[in-house]
Amino acid sequence: MKYYIVEKHYSGSNPRDVKHIDFNRFEVTTKPPRDKEKRICVKGWLGTVDEVDRYAHGVYDSLAAAQHYIQTRLLTWGFRRDPDDDLPPDVLAVYRPGRYPPITDDALIQWLEYRIEVSADDDDKTLERQADTMIYELQQEGRRSYRSQMRDALEFLRDYAREERDD
């Protein structure tokens, strides 16, 4: 049996939308990848379909060899392996970039509401300091937020506090 690595990368609009936020991945599959013309292609660009770029990263003689290649050559800066439960039969493993799965905007706001008091009087410097602290705390719980996303969430909570104060 041969094993193939296929990279799937969302390249469309709204990459921070909930359905796209954690889309990019590397799949180890037993089915040879095909390009847009349906030809088997084991290295290189396979095409873009529905705003998803696909790339082939080789053929391997064992699952261990394919996984080793992903871990050492493709995701050397951090990765995580997804659970195997909802994979198609030909996909044996899915690896995603980053040690921590990202959090959606709505989930981040809810998470912050239970962990920090954002005041209507907080200035931008205060929010900046809080953002750094909260990013660290979120990572301690195994999740990831971008700095801009954290700042936006804190600003949202500050604006909400201001509306509550003014009512």
Side-chain angles (χ1 to χ4, degrees):
M1 180 179 291
K2 297 291 183 183
Y3 301 87
Y4 307 89
I5 298 172
V6 176
E7 176 182 357
K8 293 183 177 180
H9 179 81
Y10 179 74
S11 60
S13 59
N14 272 341
R16 291 182 60 193
D17 188 307
V18 172
K19 62 185 173 185
H20 307 294
I21 198 163
D22 198 26
F23 182 85
N24 301 343
R25 63 185 172 268
F26 294 91
E27 296 178 349
V28 178
T29 179
T30 57
K31 191 172 169 183
R34 296 182 179 269
D35 62 16
K36 288 177 82 172
E37 285 77 38
K38 306 294 182 207
R39 296 177 302 217
I40 291 177
C41 178
V42 296
K43 278 255 189 226
W45 186 62
L46 300 169
T48 302
V49 178
D50 296 330
E51 300 182 320
V52 175
D53 292 330
R54 294 176 60 246
Y55 302 89
H57 289 280
V59 57
Y60 303 87
D61 291 326
S62 70
L63 176 60
Q67 291 174 323
H68 179 73
Y69 186 82
I70 290 171
Q71 293 170 7
T72 59
R73 302 300 276 300
L74 299 175
L75 294 174
T76 57
W77 44 272
F79 68 94
R80 69 182 199 285
R81 182 171 180 198
D82 276 357
D84 296 338
D85 15 331
D86 291 334
L87 300 178
D90 61 305
V91 176
L92 303 177
V94 174
Y95 288 84
R96 296 189 190 269
R99 270 183 276 260
Y100 309 111
I103 191 168
T104 65
D105 294 340
D106 292 339
L108 178 59
I109 289 169
Q110 286 182 327
W111 182 84
L112 285 168
E113 285 178 320
Y114 291 103
R115 283 163 182 79
I116 191 169
E117 183 68 35
V118 178
S119 165
D121 299 322
D122 287 344
D123 60 13
D124 288 342
K125 287 189 185 269
T126 302
L127 294 183
E128 203 68 39
R129 284 191 303 273
Q130 289 174 332
D132 291 336
T133 301
M134 299 317 294
I135 287 172
Y136 175 79
E137 287 187 26
L138 188 64
Q139 287 179 347
Q140 297 306 307
E141 293 186 20
R143 300 301 300 264
R144 179 181 79 223
S145 172
Y146 298 102
R147 193 168 218 285
S148 60
Q149 180 189 27
M150 184 64 75
R151 275 294 309 263
D152 290 348
L154 289 167
E155 287 174 6
F156 174 85
L157 292 172
R158 177 183 63 188
D159 293 345
Y160 182 76
R162 287 177 178 170
E163 287 174 16
E164 289 292 309
R165 179 188 65 192
D166 294 341
D167 284 344

